[in-house]
Amino acid sequence: MSEVKEKKYKAKDFASDQEIRWCPGCGDYAILKQVQSAVAQTGKPKEEIVFISGIGCSSRFPYYMDTYGMHSIHGRATAIASGLKTARPDLSVWIITGDGDSLSIGGNHLIHLLRRNIDTNILLFNNEIYGLTKGQYSPTTPEGSHTKSSPMGVIDHPFNPISLALGADAGFIARTVDREPRHMKDIFLQADEHKGASFVEIYQNCPVFNDGAFNAYTDRGLKDENTLFIEAGKPMTFHKDKKGIVLDGLKPKVVDLTSDEYSVDDCLVHDPSDRTVAYILSQFFDNDKSADLPRVFGVIYSENRPTYEDQLSNQVELAIEEKGEGDLDALIAGPNTWYHQ
């Protein structure tokens, strides 16, 4: 085993022999490549890595990874991964899911995995549409959008995945985008290094049913003024450092750094451990652009707390220490069951 762990992996080592079948131009291709590159960089042997998915375009993912994996059922990838990680805490478990898969039928399982802090890496591909089932609106589709299932416009208020994860007490929360490969890879590596539940939202373009949903954050002529890439310990500036974020009380405000009124020193410095600021950043989300707030990318929140599987293991060890190994036959035949000899 030690010889296997010393092997130097390359991204191609994690590419399976299966033909990749996504639509031309789909953002999933870029995500797959960066995940393969990231897991290779971790140095973990492929037999200790598992990818579990639910249902949706993104859920083809395990077929394309030369690791263990499971293409499970709609919304239940988080539940299956929870069981696997609890039984085999030594494994590196990745959950591949979409906005429809994890925030609709799978929403209940998602929030409970996050609150339990089970050491898994959740990659949520958010294209704001149901792609596999041909263009119905999803839990993240913006209000007013015209889709196959909302010809007069969506009237549902959309989920904000980052705020949802914060509300469920996730220990690591980040956002990245399919058009920024280096950023994606770095976020995946940070998520993998984090001990506990890691939640990564990935803006992923669907060129068939929701093309251009994230143009404001990816197009060369637009993204500079609409995106804020945050890093721990660095001031929040964007638009080539022409603009910055300051707090007026707890209200965020965009300021002009080319004027004499504000400088970089006035800008908010990012601290991923600050939950209050993390929530404020998660609210740079509203469809109302009157405040000119950019969309935030990077590690929004990170904290260390005990994982579910470690605490469970401690309980099992304590029970054995206090009561012995236990005897299943004796338990079944005991006075506290329906069967008694």
Side-chain angles (χ1 to χ4, degrees):
M1 179 63 73
S2 60
E3 293 181 359
V4 174
K5 288 186 177 180
E6 291 174 1
K7 178 178 178 180
K8 297 293 185 181
Y9 288 102
K10 297 181 180 179
K12 65 180 181 181
D13 293 323
F14 288 91
S16 76
D17 60 357
Q18 299 298 299
E19 179 187 359
I20 301 175
R21 301 186 67 180
W22 285 311
C23 298
C26 178
D28 290 2
Y29 288 97
I31 300 171
L32 174 64
K33 184 175 181 180
Q34 295 312 312
V35 169
Q36 289 171 339
S37 181
V39 294
Q41 189 169 322
T42 67
K44 297 174 183 175
K46 58 179 68 179
E47 62 269 20
E48 294 181 7
I49 301 173
V50 185
F51 282 82
I52 298 177
S53 65
I55 294 296
C57 295
S58 65
S59 294
R60 301 174 186 268
F61 211 92
Y63 295 111
Y64 309 141
M65 296 295 301
D66 190 18
T67 63
Y68 285 111
M70 181 179 183
H71 187 174
S72 69
I73 55 180
H74 204 188
R76 271 62 179 184
T78 41
I80 292 168
S82 297
L84 175 62
K85 186 65 179 182
T86 301
R88 288 289 305 275
D90 56 305
L91 297 178
S92 175
V93 179
W94 296 69
I95 299 169
I96 305 298
T97 186
D99 46 305
D101 183 52
S102 63
L103 297 177
S104 184
I105 190 171
N108 185 50
H109 297 295
L110 174 68
I111 60 175
H112 290 298
L113 184 152
L114 294 176
R115 75 175 177 87
R116 287 172 174 142
N117 199 34
I118 299 173
D119 187 17
T120 56
N121 302 315
I122 303 169
L123 304 186
L124 189 154
F125 296 29
N126 183 8
N127 54 26
E128 298 184 344
I129 203 75
Y130 277 103
L132 186 67
T133 48
K134 309 300 182 286
Q136 302 94 328
Y137 72 89
S138 82
T140 59
T141 305
E143 291 177 79
S145 300
H146 295 270
T147 74
K148 295 290 183 66
S149 56
S150 59
M152 298 182 68
V154 173
I155 58 175
D156 291 18
H157 185 71
F159 265 134
N160 178 337
I162 300 298
S163 292
L164 179 72
L166 278 165
D169 282 340
F172 180 97
I173 303 170
R175 181 190 285 134
T176 186
V177 58
D178 59 4
R179 300 286 183 87
E180 297 286 343
R182 292 182 181 177
H183 189 261
M184 270 198 295
K185 179 182 175 181
D186 180 62
I187 293 296
F188 298 156
L189 286 170
Q190 291 188 64
D192 184 62
E193 290 171 3
H194 178 79
K195 178 72 170 176
S198 298
F199 178 86
V200 180
E201 179 188 21
I202 309 168
Y203 282 174
Q204 174 258 322
N205 190 53
C206 175
V208 176
F209 295 108
N210 202 22
D211 193 29
F214 305 114
N215 280 353
Y217 317 117
T218 58
D219 281 9
R220 184 171 298 179
L222 298 173
K223 66 179 183 179
D224 284 343
E225 60 183 308
N226 292 314
T227 58
L228 170 62
F229 285 84
I230 54 176
E231 294 183 54
K234 294 188 177 181
M236 297 184 190
T237 64
F238 65 105
H239 203 184
K240 299 180 180 178
D241 294 332
K242 296 176 182 177
K243 296 181 180 180
I245 302 295
V246 300
L247 286 183
D248 182 4
L250 290 178
K251 185 176 181 180
K253 182 171 67 172
V254 175
V255 297
D256 183 1
L257 298 180
T258 64
S259 69
D260 295 331
E261 187 176 358
Y262 293 97
S263 71
V264 173
D265 293 336
D266 298 311
C267 295
L268 185 63
V269 175
H270 184 46
D271 177 4
S273 67
D274 190 327
R275 178 177 286 273
T276 299
V277 172
Y279 181 75
I280 292 171
L281 293 174
S282 78
Q283 294 302 296
F284 288 26
F285 181 81
D286 202 309
N287 292 331
D288 178 10
K289 294 296 292 181
S290 61
D292 293 322
L293 293 171
R295 197 61 56 94
V296 180
F297 296 90
V299 178
I300 295 170
Y301 184 70
S302 181
E303 70 163 331
N304 291 312
R305 58 188 176 89
T307 65
Y308 177 86
E309 62 273 17
D310 283 349
Q311 294 181 91
L312 179 62
S313 178
N314 291 338
Q315 283 191 340
V316 171
E317 290 177 6
L318 180 60
I320 293 173
E321 181 181 335
E322 293 181 349
K323 300 182 179 182
E325 287 287 346
D327 185 330
L328 181 59
D329 290 336
L331 177 66
I332 294 175
N336 295 321
T337 65
W338 60 269
Y339 173 74
H340 180 58
Q341 287 184 330

